[in-house]
Amino acid sequence: TYLLKFGGDDVFSNSQDLAIDSAGNIWVADRLGRKVVKFDGNGVRLLTIDTGFDIDLFRPISVAVDSFDDLYVGAECGRVGKFHSNGQY
């Protein structure tokens, strides 16, 4: 329930997973919203990555961050995509 309210009422359709990077930013996979959202530790939205049809990661279900703060997004279809911390694919 908390994730549904974090960052505002309109943020998530179906949050599935979260990861925290070395700066304390929180990355959340939103399966039905077809996006990954990055927040700072206070809940301020910093970035939204659309994982829809263009990059073929439709319906993200998992997120992980490595030691370089690169983001890995696992999709329902079995694909995994790598993003830089600025959201670049």
Side-chain angles (χ1 to χ4, degrees), residues 27-89:
W27 295 87
V28 181
D30 183 8
R31 180 179 161 267
L32 296 180
R34 297 183 299 254
K35 62 188 173 189
V36 175
V37 184
K38 178 182 180 181
F39 298 96
D40 69 11
N42 295 314
V44 175
R45 188 184 335 193
L46 302 175
L47 179 69
T48 299
I49 300 172
D50 180 359
T51 61
F53 300 105
D54 292 341
I55 60 172
D56 219 11
L57 291 172
F58 190 67
R59 295 191 174 170
I61 58 171
S62 62
V63 287
V65 179
D66 67 15
S67 61
F68 300 104
D69 282 339
D70 290 325
L71 175 72
Y72 296 85
V73 177
E76 190 174 71
C77 63
R79 293 184 180 94
V80 176
K82 179 180 177 182
F83 296 84
H84 297 287
S85 61
N86 63 2
Q88 182 182 8
Y89 186 56

Side-chain angles (χ1 to χ4, degrees), residues 3-32:
L3 280 179
L4 294 174
K5 297 293 181 184
F6 194 73
D9 291 335
D10 64 336
V11 178
F12 301 113
S13 297
N14 184 244
S15 56
Q16 292 288 300
D17 193 20
L18 64 84
I20 301 173
D21 65 22
S22 66
N25 297 313
I26 302 162
W27 295 87
V28 181
D30 183 8
R31 180 179 161 267
L32 296 180

